[in-house]
Amino acid sequence: MADTLDGTVALVTGASSGIGEATAIELARRGAKVAIAARRQDRLTDLAARIDEAGGEALVLETDVTVEAEARAAVASAVEHFGRLDTVVANAGVMLLGPVVDAPAEEWERMIDLNLKGLLHTTHAALPHLLAAADGGPRRVADLVLVSSVAGRVARNGNGVYSLTKHGVGAFGESLRQEVTKRHVRVALVEPGAVATELTDHLRDEVREASMSRFADMERMEAEDIADAIGYIVTRPRRVAVNELLIRPTEQEG
Ligand code: NDP
């Protein structure tokens, strides 16, 4: 069972674009049935059709994970539909950069609500099922992958609250890892550098240029590169837990 997810079920949040979308495809390619959660149902439906065409199985879950009841319902629906839950990729996130001075506080709320509270809601609802999968499932191990960022390691001028949320994900993940690892639920932190996705579309015009100038001449990673890393993490033998994976574009210095 080392390199296959046959017979397992995965839930990916933020699956309607970017890293989450690529990860859902990758986990399905490796044999998992995938529950795909995000707010844009049309994008999820299109993704599910592509997964089905490739011989996989996908369940569309229109979900706003910032609403605790919706995150819980997504987990419950995945378990009800597929009968179990072995892998969760808590990926949904938003990056609203810019100076702290005069920042719209609403942007801070959005990042805290999604990057922290959305991830907590998803994790809390999923944990009993992951513990059950590790106890009695075919692989006798389960995986929770938390998508953080290089910003979860390094704070920079202009990324204060985004970095705060991603540092929080790292702290929470490490604490939870220690809590559940002896029960064979592996908690992995993935910390990407710059990836070409829709993430920067949400930046205010006045901060986009300044924020992105660092990456102007750089070949960024593709979402598939991160999906490949996540696929690696969740297919290790039961005795191996990848705890943390920092992955940058080759040309990204810091
Ligand atoms: P995208 O903007 O392409 O993807 C973000 C995903 O989150 C979308 O599917 C979006 O779907 C979903 N989402 C947003 N709000 C909610 C919500 N309330 N409930 C459920 N889902 C939601 O960006 P990426 O793929 O790049 O981002 C994925 C993760 O990777 C994020 O956590 C980000 O911080 C992290 N990351 C990205 C990097 C990059 O350079 N791109 C670098 C480091 C980390 P919808 O709008 O349909 O709800």
Side-chain angles (χ1 to χ4, degrees):
M1 294 298 284
D3 62 357
T4 174
L5 298 176
D6 286 348
T8 71
V9 175
L11 167 67
V12 181
T13 70
S16 59
S17 61
I19 293 168
E21 177 182 355
T23 300
I25 291 169
E26 175 66 11
L27 299 185
R29 189 186 70 76
R30 287 176 178 265
K33 293 172 183 164
V34 287
I36 48 178
R39 295 167 305 174
R40 287 171 293 177
Q41 185 167 19
D42 54 335
R43 298 276 290 254
L44 295 176
T45 303
D46 174 73
L47 172 61
R50 281 182 281 140
I51 289 172
D52 287 351
E53 267 168 38
E57 220 178 307
L59 174 68
V60 169
L61 298 169
E62 183 183 353
T63 309
D64 180 343
V65 295
T66 67
V67 179
E68 183 179 351
E70 291 196 26
R72 291 196 177 284
V75 169
S77 299
V79 173
E80 193 183 337
H81 187 81
F82 289 128
R84 51 182 304 106
L85 185 59
D86 305 86
T87 306
V88 172
V89 182
N91 160 78
V94 63
M95 177 184 76
L96 304 169
L97 304 176
V100 171
V101 175
D102 293 333
E106 173 268 339
E107 291 193 343
W108 296 357
E109 300 289 339
R110 281 172 61 196
M111 286 190 281
I112 290 166
D113 281 351
L114 181 59
N115 301 0
L116 290 176
K117 289 165 84 175
L119 178 140
L120 291 176
H121 298 327
T122 307
T123 299
H124 191 239
L127 270 171
H129 303 289
L130 295 178
L131 287 163
D135 198 31
R139 303 172 76 227
R140 294 172 49 241
V141 69
D143 288 285
L144 172 65
V145 178
L146 306 178
V147 178
S148 175
S149 166
V150 169
R153 285 201 175 199
V154 188
R156 287 178 195 289
N157 183 349
N159 79 358
V161 177
Y162 181 67
S163 186
L164 177 159
T165 63
K166 294 301 191 181
H167 274 76
V169 170
F172 170 70
E174 172 55 17
S175 172
L176 180 62
R177 184 191 69 75
Q178 293 175 30
E179 181 180 330
V180 295
T181 195
K182 282 226 165 84
R183 298 171 74 183
H184 290 93
V185 175
R186 302 182 292 204
V187 180
L189 192 68
V190 175
E191 298 158 310
V195 187
T197 68
E198 297 174 16
L199 194 69
T200 50
D201 293 0
H202 309 291
L203 295 172
R204 277 176 283 136
D205 290 341
E206 61 268 32
V207 295
R208 183 179 292 109
E209 206 172 318
S211 307
M212 298 314 293
S213 60
R214 278 177 67 214
F215 304 107
D217 299 321
M218 181 190 298
E219 185 184 6
R220 288 183 289 168
M221 294 184 288
E222 302 290 334
E224 289 73 18
D225 299 323
I226 310 306
D228 182 45
I230 292 172
Y232 172 83
I233 289 170
V234 302
T235 52
R236 290 312 85 207
R238 183 173 183 258
R239 64 182 178 276
V240 178
V242 179
N243 299 152
E244 195 169 353
L245 202 150
L246 175 63
I247 175 169
R248 288 189 178 94
T250 306
E251 295 171 10
Q252 182 174 339
E253 291 171 351

